[in-house]
Amino acid sequence: MIGYGFMGAAHSQGWRVAPRFFDLPAEPQMQVVVGRHPGAVASAAAKWGWEESATDWREVIARDDIDVVDIVTPGDTHAEIAIAALDAGKHVLCEKPLANTVDEAEAMADAAERAAARGIRSMVGFTYRRVPAATFARDLVAAGRIGEIRQVRAAYLQDWLIDAESPLTWRLQKERAGSGSLGDIGAHAVDLSEYITGLKLASVSGVLDTLVTERPLLGETIGLSGTASAERGAVTVDDVALFTGRYESGALGTFEATRFATGRKNALRVEVSGSLGAVSFDLERMNELQFYDATLPPLEQGFRTIYVTEHDHPYLAPWWPAGHMLGYEHGFSHQVKDLVEAIVDGTQPRPSFADGLHVQRVLDAVERSSNAGSAWTATGD
């Protein structure tokens, strides 16, 4: 695993727990975690259960005992690491969004296609697809339970940047992160809406805005997030992204991604309205799915709550008795399960790098639309 921040902890949990609950066809061995600061990455290795730590990712991917490379670094490093790993014959899991630019994502997708011809697999970490309630929503839609899809509403709301004095982290710098709310959390809203509906966005019209244009710089605390200093630097990414989209089918979608939604901590919501019904998923109530059946008699209609905790629901068979809830971390175990099974079976795991490239094109189209006064802009697929 290359990187060891917040996502490093989550991915480590997935690698550690998945083989203990799922009957995987191969046993993952958590061999080495890589980071720039020797002391900090060694501590992460000891805490999360990795056999060893290292500071040079190039040396690690050249090793014969490494089969899979898991990339959890900032977006500006994804392309270089992933392409090198794929060319070296390693299977790759890469955190979302796939890259910082469409050009980088295209190069990664090309590398993945070359590698696939040699049996090497790659996958993007859009983990919310693997929340059982979200997967079950996809299953209901695919089974035709809500009929023809007519409209989608998707939003990802957080509030961790509402303090204008919080420091200028890498997520607020375009050269590191690529974009702000749009790429960090808007990418999830785009991917999850497409996953649940089975539709792809063809064009968008949007606006981006930066609400706090400068913040205190971070100090030089090695291996940590750092501390705020008296100096200030420019915020070069969006704080808020609002856009509408039209899917290839003609259905319309509305999207919001913001880290300024005061009081909302991690509210990813997707509601799909169809001719025969609707489904509504809310990550803050992640063990539930709202389902509306418009084919019932009018006196019986209304959204009802389905508790997605039964063993027959997606992913849930190995876990707890019905009614015992899962949490955020379980999606990462499901991600490991799906990736390991695909590698052993010789099949393409999803979402693929090609899927990640499509999302990158949607993000790019939103940014281009905003720069052009919210003009409708094709995604370019």
Side-chain angles (χ1 to χ4, degrees), residues 8-28:
H11 280 232
S12 296
Q13 173 79 357
W15 288 111
R16 189 169 57 246
V17 173
R20 289 164 174 78
F21 281 82
F22 293 93
D23 294 326
L24 300 183
E27 178 78 13

PDB file of all heavy atoms in Angstrom, residues 8-28:
ATOM      1  N   GLY A   8      -5.404   5.284   4.071  1.00  0.00           N
ATOM      2  CA  GLY A   8      -4.529   4.169   4.409  1.00  0.00           C
ATOM      3  C   GLY A   8      -5.092   3.348   5.557  1.00  0.00           C
ATOM      4  O   GLY A   8      -5.054   2.110   5.541  1.00  0.00           O
ATOM      5  N   ALA A   9      -5.628   4.028   6.561  1.00  0.00           N
ATOM      6  CA  ALA A   9      -6.243   3.329   7.687  1.00  0.00           C
ATOM      7  C   ALA A   9      -7.454   2.532   7.234  1.00  0.00           C
ATOM      8  O   ALA A   9      -7.646   1.372   7.619  1.00  0.00           O
ATOM      9  CB  ALA A   9      -6.640   4.336   8.767  1.00  0.00           C
ATOM     10  N   ALA A  10      -8.291   3.143   6.377  1.00  0.00           N
ATOM     11  CA  ALA A  10      -9.501   2.470   5.917  1.00  0.00           C
ATOM     12  C   ALA A  10      -9.163   1.256   5.042  1.00  0.00           C
ATOM     13  O   ALA A  10      -9.749   0.171   5.202  1.00  0.00           O
ATOM     14  CB  ALA A  10     -10.373   3.456   5.140  1.00  0.00           C
ATOM     15  N   HIS A  11      -8.211   1.427   4.128  1.00  0.00           N
ATOM     16  CA  HIS A  11      -7.837   0.305   3.266  1.00  0.00           C
ATOM     17  C   HIS A  11      -7.174  -0.810   4.076  1.00  0.00           C
ATOM     18  O   HIS A  11      -7.391  -2.001   3.799  1.00  0.00           O
ATOM     19  CB  HIS A  11      -6.906   0.778   2.160  1.00  0.00           C
ATOM     20  CG  HIS A  11      -7.617   1.440   1.025  1.00  0.00           C
ATOM     21  ND1 HIS A  11      -7.439   1.074  -0.295  1.00  0.00           N
ATOM     22  CD2 HIS A  11      -8.519   2.458   1.004  1.00  0.00           C
ATOM     23  CE1 HIS A  11      -8.200   1.837  -1.074  1.00  0.00           C
ATOM     24  NE2 HIS A  11      -8.856   2.683  -0.303  1.00  0.00           N
ATOM     25  N   SER A  12      -6.360  -0.440   5.045  1.00  0.00           N
ATOM     26  CA  SER A  12      -5.732  -1.462   5.893  1.00  0.00           C
ATOM     27  C   SER A  12      -6.783  -2.285   6.616  1.00  0.00           C
ATOM     28  O   SER A  12      -6.658  -3.513   6.729  1.00  0.00           O
ATOM     29  CB  SER A  12      -4.795  -0.794   6.909  1.00  0.00           C
ATOM     30  OG  SER A  12      -3.721  -0.135   6.275  1.00  0.00           O
ATOM     31  N   GLN A  13      -7.811  -1.619   7.112  1.00  0.00           N
ATOM     32  CA  GLN A  13      -8.909  -2.334   7.759  1.00  0.00           C
ATOM     33  C   GLN A  13      -9.538  -3.337   6.802  1.00  0.00           C
ATOM     34  O   GLN A  13      -9.837  -4.476   7.168  1.00  0.00           O
ATOM     35  CB  GLN A  13      -9.962  -1.323   8.240  1.00  0.00           C
ATOM     36  CG  GLN A  13     -11.247  -1.913   8.775  1.00  0.00           C
ATOM     37  CD  GLN A  13     -11.128  -2.437  10.189  1.00  0.00           C
ATOM     38  OE1 GLN A  13     -10.041  -2.407  10.774  1.00  0.00           O
ATOM     39  NE2 GLN A  13     -12.226  -2.923  10.742  1.00  0.00           N
ATOM     40  N   GLY A  14      -9.725  -2.915   5.552  1.00  0.00           N
ATOM     41  CA  GLY A  14     -10.315  -3.817   4.569  1.00  0.00           C
ATOM     42  C   GLY A  14      -9.454  -5.035   4.304  1.00  0.00           C
ATOM     43  O   GLY A  14      -9.949  -6.175   4.277  1.00  0.00           O
ATOM     44  N   TRP A  15      -8.158  -4.808   4.083  1.00  0.00           N
ATOM     45  CA  TRP A  15      -7.247  -5.934   3.811  1.00  0.00           C
ATOM     46  C   TRP A  15      -7.146  -6.878   5.016  1.00  0.00           C
ATOM     47  O   TRP A  15      -7.058  -8.098   4.858  1.00  0.00           O
ATOM     48  CB  TRP A  15      -5.858  -5.412   3.465  1.00  0.00           C
ATOM     49  CG  TRP A  15      -5.768  -4.775   2.123  1.00  0.00           C
ATOM     50  CD1 TRP A  15      -5.577  -3.450   1.840  1.00  0.00           C
ATOM     51  CD2 TRP A  15      -5.871  -5.433   0.849  1.00  0.00           C
ATOM     52  NE1 TRP A  15      -5.556  -3.242   0.482  1.00  0.00           N
ATOM     53  CE2 TRP A  15      -5.728  -4.438  -0.151  1.00  0.00           C
ATOM     54  CE3 TRP A  15      -6.063  -6.749   0.459  1.00  0.00           C
ATOM     55  CZ2 TRP A  15      -5.779  -4.735  -1.513  1.00  0.00           C
ATOM     56  CZ3 TRP A  15      -6.116  -7.052  -0.887  1.00  0.00           C
ATOM     57  CH2 TRP A  15      -5.975  -6.056  -1.869  1.00  0.00           C
ATOM     58  N   ARG A  16      -7.194  -6.309   6.206  1.00  0.00           N
ATOM     59  CA  ARG A  16      -7.022  -7.115   7.415  1.00  0.00           C
ATOM     60  C   ARG A  16      -8.255  -7.959   7.726  1.00  0.00           C
ATOM     61  O   ARG A  16      -8.156  -9.114   8.159  1.00  0.00           O
ATOM     62  CB  ARG A  16      -6.711  -6.167   8.584  1.00  0.00           C
ATOM     63  CG  ARG A  16      -6.291  -6.851   9.860  1.00  0.00           C
ATOM     64  CD  ARG A  16      -5.756  -5.844  10.873  1.00  0.00           C
ATOM     65  NE  ARG A  16      -6.723  -4.801  11.192  1.00  0.00           N
ATOM     66  CZ  ARG A  16      -6.563  -3.500  10.878  1.00  0.00           C
ATOM     67  NH1 ARG A  16      -5.483  -3.096  10.237  1.00  0.00           N
ATOM     68  NH2 ARG A  16      -7.480  -2.621  11.202  1.00  0.00           N
ATOM     69  N   VAL A  17      -9.443  -7.399   7.503  1.00  0.00           N
ATOM     70  CA  VAL A  17     -10.673  -8.040   7.960  1.00  0.00           C
ATOM     71  C   VAL A  17     -11.293  -8.955   6.909  1.00  0.00           C
ATOM     72  O   VAL A  17     -11.855 -10.010   7.247  1.00  0.00           O
ATOM     73  CB  VAL A  17     -11.686  -6.959   8.403  1.00  0.00           C
ATOM     74  CG1 VAL A  17     -13.052  -7.573   8.720  1.00  0.00           C
ATOM     75  CG2 VAL A  17     -11.145  -6.202   9.618  1.00  0.00           C
ATOM     76  N   ALA A  18     -11.214  -8.579   5.635  1.00  0.00           N
ATOM     77  CA  ALA A  18     -11.918  -9.342   4.591  1.00  0.00           C
ATOM     78  C   ALA A  18     -11.633 -10.839   4.634  1.00  0.00           C
ATOM     79  O   ALA A  18     -12.566 -11.657   4.579  1.00  0.00           O
ATOM     80  CB  ALA A  18     -11.593  -8.771   3.210  1.00  0.00           C
ATOM     81  N   PRO A  19     -10.368 -11.261   4.724  1.00  0.00           N
ATOM     82  CA  PRO A  19     -10.121 -12.721   4.703  1.00  0.00           C
ATOM     83  C   PRO A  19     -10.583 -13.432   5.963  1.00  0.00           C
ATOM     84  O   PRO A  19     -10.634 -14.673   5.979  1.00  0.00           O
ATOM     85  CB  PRO A  19      -8.597 -12.806   4.535  1.00  0.00           C
ATOM     86  CG  PRO A  19      -8.070 -11.518   5.051  1.00  0.00           C
ATOM     87  CD  PRO A  19      -9.106 -10.491   4.728  1.00  0.00           C
ATOM     88  N   ARG A  20     -10.941 -12.694   6.988  1.00  0.00           N
ATOM     89  CA  ARG A  20     -11.408 -13.318   8.232  1.00  0.00           C
ATOM     90  C   ARG A  20     -12.918 -13.535   8.241  1.00  0.00           C
ATOM     91  O   ARG A  20     -13.435 -14.248   9.104  1.00  0.00           O
ATOM     92  CB  ARG A  20     -10.959 -12.485   9.431  1.00  0.00           C
ATOM     93  CG  ARG A  20      -9.460 -12.587   9.660  1.00  0.00           C
ATOM     94  CD  ARG A  20      -8.913 -11.502  10.567  1.00  0.00           C
ATOM     95  NE  ARG A  20      -7.498 -11.734  10.855  1.00  0.00           N
ATOM     96  CZ  ARG A  20      -6.507 -11.449  10.008  1.00  0.00           C
ATOM     97  NH1 ARG A  20      -6.783 -10.913   8.829  1.00  0.00           N
ATOM     98  NH2 ARG A  20      -5.251 -11.692  10.331  1.00  0.00           N
ATOM     99  N   PHE A  21     -13.633 -12.907   7.310  1.00  0.00           N
ATOM    100  CA  PHE A  21     -15.083 -13.093   7.236  1.00  0.00           C
ATOM    101  C   PHE A  21     -15.526 -13.729   5.926  1.00  0.00           C
ATOM    102  O   PHE A  21     -16.498 -14.483   5.911  1.00  0.00           O
ATOM    103  CB  PHE A  21     -15.798 -11.742   7.429  1.00  0.00           C
ATOM    104  CG  PHE A  21     -15.874 -11.321   8.863  1.00  0.00           C
ATOM    105  CD1 PHE A  21     -14.799 -10.700   9.489  1.00  0.00           C
ATOM    106  CD2 PHE A  21     -17.015 -11.566   9.616  1.00  0.00           C
ATOM    107  CE1 PHE A  21     -14.867 -10.327  10.822  1.00  0.00           C
ATOM    108  CE2 PHE A  21     -17.083 -11.193  10.951  1.00  0.00           C
ATOM    109  CZ  PHE A  21     -16.010 -10.570  11.562  1.00  0.00           C
ATOM    110  N   PHE A  22     -14.849 -13.407   4.836  1.00  0.00           N
ATOM    111  CA  PHE A  22     -15.215 -13.962   3.539  1.00  0.00           C
ATOM    112  C   PHE A  22     -14.273 -15.113   3.187  1.00  0.00           C
ATOM    113  O   PHE A  22     -13.084 -15.074   3.516  1.00  0.00           O
ATOM    114  CB  PHE A  22     -15.142 -12.884   2.455  1.00  0.00           C
ATOM    115  CG  PHE A  22     -16.170 -11.801   2.618  1.00  0.00           C
ATOM    116  CD1 PHE A  22     -15.874 -10.644   3.317  1.00  0.00           C
ATOM    117  CD2 PHE A  22     -17.440 -11.946   2.074  1.00  0.00           C
ATOM    118  CE1 PHE A  22     -16.819  -9.639   3.476  1.00  0.00           C
ATOM    119  CE2 PHE A  22     -18.397 -10.952   2.221  1.00  0.00           C
ATOM    120  CZ  PHE A  22     -18.083  -9.803   2.926  1.00  0.00           C
ATOM    121  N   ASP A  23     -14.816 -16.113   2.527  1.00  0.00           N
ATOM    122  CA  ASP A  23     -13.999 -17.248   2.074  1.00  0.00           C
ATOM    123  C   ASP A  23     -13.343 -16.858   0.750  1.00  0.00           C
ATOM    124  O   ASP A  23     -13.825 -17.195  -0.337  1.00  0.00           O
ATOM    125  CB  ASP A  23     -14.866 -18.494   1.912  1.00  0.00           C
ATOM    126  CG  ASP A  23     -15.421 -18.991   3.227  1.00  0.00           C
ATOM    127  OD1 ASP A  23     -14.713 -18.864   4.241  1.00  0.00           O
ATOM    128  OD2 ASP A  23     -16.555 -19.491   3.249  1.00  0.00           O
ATOM    129  N   LEU A  24     -12.230 -16.145   0.849  1.00  0.00           N
ATOM    130  CA  LEU A  24     -11.559 -15.649  -0.343  1.00  0.00           C
ATOM    131  C   LEU A  24     -10.788 -16.771  -1.034  1.00  0.00           C
ATOM    132  O   LEU A  24     -10.265 -17.674  -0.380  1.00  0.00           O
ATOM    133  CB  LEU A  24     -10.599 -14.516   0.028  1.00  0.00           C
ATOM    134  CG  LEU A  24     -11.219 -13.282   0.694  1.00  0.00           C
ATOM    135  CD1 LEU A  24     -10.157 -12.226   0.934  1.00  0.00           C
ATOM    136  CD2 LEU A  24     -12.353 -12.715  -0.154  1.00  0.00           C
ATOM    137  N   PRO A  25     -10.672 -16.705  -2.363  1.00  0.00           N
ATOM    138  CA  PRO A  25      -9.946 -17.747  -3.094  1.00  0.00           C
ATOM    139  C   PRO A  25      -8.427 -17.589  -3.004  1.00  0.00           C
ATOM    140  O   PRO A  25      -7.699 -18.452  -3.491  1.00  0.00           O
ATOM    141  CB  PRO A  25     -10.428 -17.548  -4.534  1.00  0.00           C
ATOM    142  CG  PRO A  25     -10.771 -16.104  -4.621  1.00  0.00           C
ATOM    143  CD  PRO A  25     -11.329 -15.743  -3.276  1.00  0.00           C
ATOM    144  N   ALA A  26      -7.967 -16.519  -2.400  1.00  0.00           N
ATOM    145  CA  ALA A  26      -6.530 -16.325  -2.152  1.00  0.00           C
ATOM    146  C   ALA A  26      -6.395 -15.509  -0.870  1.00  0.00           C
ATOM    147  O   ALA A  26      -7.272 -14.719  -0.522  1.00  0.00           O
ATOM    148  CB  ALA A  26      -5.851 -15.602  -3.315  1.00  0.00           C
ATOM    149  N   GLU A  27      -5.301 -15.700  -0.170  1.00  0.00           N
ATOM    150  CA  GLU A  27      -5.098 -15.052   1.127  1.00  0.00           C
ATOM    151  C   GLU A  27      -4.210 -13.822   0.968  1.00  0.00           C
ATOM    152  O   GLU A  27      -3.021 -13.933   0.666  1.00  0.00           O
ATOM    153  CB  GLU A  27      -4.432 -16.032   2.093  1.00  0.00           C
ATOM    154  CG  GLU A  27      -4.134 -15.456   3.469  1.00  0.00           C
ATOM    155  CD  GLU A  27      -5.369 -15.388   4.353  1.00  0.00           C
ATOM    156  OE1 GLU A  27      -6.394 -15.999   3.996  1.00  0.00           O
ATOM    157  OE2 GLU A  27      -5.289 -14.745   5.407  1.00  0.00           O
ATOM    158  N   PRO A  28      -4.756 -12.611   1.155  1.00  0.00           N
ATOM    159  CA  PRO A  28      -3.913 -11.416   1.074  1.00  0.00           C
ATOM    160  C   PRO A  28      -2.887 -11.389   2.208  1.00  0.00           C
ATOM    161  O   PRO A  28      -3.217 -11.702   3.359  1.00  0.00           O
ATOM    162  CB  PRO A  28      -4.905 -10.263   1.221  1.00  0.00           C
ATOM    163  CG  PRO A  28      -6.253 -10.859   0.963  1.00  0.00           C
ATOM    164  CD  PRO A  28      -6.158 -12.283   1.414  1.00  0.00           C
TER     165      PRO A  28
END
